[in-house]
Structure formats: C-alpha cells, structure tokens
Amino acid sequence: MVAPSLLATSDLHVSHRDNRPVLDEIRPHTDEDWLIVAGDVAETTETIGWALGKLRERFSRVIWVPGNHELWTPPGDDVRARGVERYDHLVRMCRELDVTTPEDPYPVWRDEQRSVVVAPLFVLYDYSFRAPEFDAEQALAHAYDTHVVCTDEVMLHPDPYESRTEWCHERVRQTLPRLEAIPEHLPTVLISHWPLHRDPTRRLYYPQFGIWCGTELTADWHLRFRAVAEVHGHLHIPVTDRIDGVPFEEVSLGYPREWRRRGGPGEPLHSILPAAPERTFEELVRAHR
C-alpha cells in the first residue's frame, strides 16, 4: 500500500499553450495526496479558477498561495480589481472551489510518523534583496538602467497601500501572530511564492531581479517556526537549497522556453512529505546542455 504524499508545484503559467498539457499530467499517487500550488498559475481570474478547479477535482486537498502573476490586473481580465481587492476576490474564488488559501486555518498533515502544520503564506517583497551598496530606490533605478525590470512595476498594484513595500510589511504583521500561535510541539511546512530567505536568489542570472523576490523580514522564519521544509517558486530554478539544515524547495515548472532547454518539463510534482531526493543546481545546469 502506497502512503499518501504532500506534493508541490508552482509557476504552471497555464496561459502558455504548451504548459496546459503539463496540467493534465499533475495527478495524485493516492486518493489521499495533498497538493501545494505555490503561485503563478495564470494571470486572468477565469484561467486561475479553471486550473485550480481541475487540480481540486484530483487531489484530496489543494493549498494555494498567490504569486505575482495572480496579483496582476492584466488587460482583458473581466475582473478589474486591484491590490488587496483583487487578492480578496481570489481568496473568495478559492473558497468556492474548496482550495485552501493563506486566509484559512492552517491544515495539519498527518502520517504514521508525525503531525505537521502546513502554512500557506502571502508576504510579498520589499526590495530588500538588493546589493549592499544600494538603498531600495537606488536598486530600483539600477534595475531600470540595466533593463531588468519586473512587470509587477506596471501590473501589480498595491491599492489601497501606497507601495508594494507597505503592503508587504502589513502582510508580515498580519502573518506573524498566526505563525506564533502554532503549538510549539508542532513542526511546519512553510509555503510562499517568494522564497523566505535570500540565499536561493543568489544564483539569479540577473541579480538585479532579486529586489522583486522576497523580504529580509522572513529570513529566520524557517528556524523560528520549526520548518521541516520551505516551499517556494518564482525563481524558475527548480532545485533544493539547504539553509540551516532546512530544505528550501523551489518547485516551479516555468515557461516553455525554460523547460525546453532542460529537455522537457520533467516531473511536474516534487514530494515534500515524504521528502523526495534533493535536486542540485549542477544537475539542473547539466540538463540545459
């Protein structure tokens, strides 16, 4: 008998036609498997709902956190909500689909060995993953000067906050009490679209892009909240990092042009519990050759 698994994927980007067949390949191994979807399913609310609905039909539980693409307000989306209003709309849509969000009680994964709190988080970024010689304004200016600018600057609106940084800091303030309320005897799996620690961003081909990749405010959360794993996407570099002994699992599929260089999309799911073999950056580079 196969034991159930806590599986994860992210950055499915099903708006790209060649990624849609990959969605069909995302299937549970057992009837009791849970699926983590760590953001960037698509851009329009209709497509996001369609994809999450398909996954929810297959898995015992689906746990979603928003990525930056879900938070965009793109042309052609019938839902014109921005910022917090758009996020709240997505949360309501997920609840109608019976998909767990960062606004819901954290579920507890149980197997024969232990109970683990699975905590989906939405904390955004605040431009603090930057070169030490720059302040935030200088880092953003450098990104523009070098033509490495995230589309968030045009499409991800922070309304009613004045900035994405302000929204990020408020999300951190809202999230901390919930994490602190987790009983101290319980370990966690922490899920965020953006990595909770800066280290995974250090291998970005364009380091300027790091300012859109997280916040230093979460750098100790994997230790503080007893994480047995951290799960993220966003970087499109699907590897395992070990930080203070904790596996940080980047689980993105990415764009077709990216996975084609690796010879195909590969396995679209990574097992978090039980832990799958760790994936190294060297293996990923070899796959690109």
Side-chain angles (χ1 to χ4, degrees), residues 85-225:
E85 184 182 359
R86 181 173 181 83
Y87 173 61
D88 289 344
H89 176 85
L90 293 169
V91 168
R92 290 193 298 271
M93 181 181 72
C94 284
R95 286 173 171 168
E96 291 174 1
L97 296 168
D98 192 29
V99 169
T100 302
T101 78
E103 306 311 306
D104 297 312
Y106 297 150
V108 178
W109 169 264
R110 295 181 175 88
D111 59 24
E112 294 180 354
Q113 297 179 331
R114 58 186 168 181
S115 297
V116 179
V117 174
V118 181
L121 312 175
F122 169 40
V123 290
L124 265 171
Y125 54 84
D126 62 0
Y127 304 87
S128 57
F129 289 179
R130 60 181 184 264
E133 65 268 25
F134 293 144
D135 63 22
E137 185 176 344
Q138 291 169 332
L140 185 60
H142 176 65
Y144 272 93
D145 288 344
T146 55
H147 309 290
V148 179
V149 180
C150 184
T151 306
D152 292 5
E153 293 297 314
V154 177
M155 304 271 275
L156 202 168
H157 306 285
D159 309 23
Y161 299 101
E162 292 186 2
S163 66
R164 284 173 289 277
T165 294
E166 185 180 336
W167 191 7
C168 167
H169 292 177
E170 178 57 29
R171 288 299 311 180
V172 169
R173 283 191 290 270
Q174 292 177 19
T175 302
L176 272 172
R178 297 188 61 200
L179 291 173
E180 290 167 345
I182 297 172
E184 291 188 2
H185 69 280
L186 289 176
T188 65
V189 170
L190 302 178
I191 307 160
S192 171
H193 178 66
W194 300 271
L196 297 177
H197 194 283
R198 184 175 186 166
D199 275 5
T201 72
R202 298 188 190 279
R203 62 170 65 93
L204 287 170
Y205 188 79
Y206 296 104
Q208 308 95 304
F209 192 78
I211 59 175
W212 293 283
C213 294
T215 170
E216 296 284 4
L217 295 174
T218 62
D220 67 345
W221 285 13
H222 60 293
L223 296 175
R224 186 174 173 184
F225 301 113

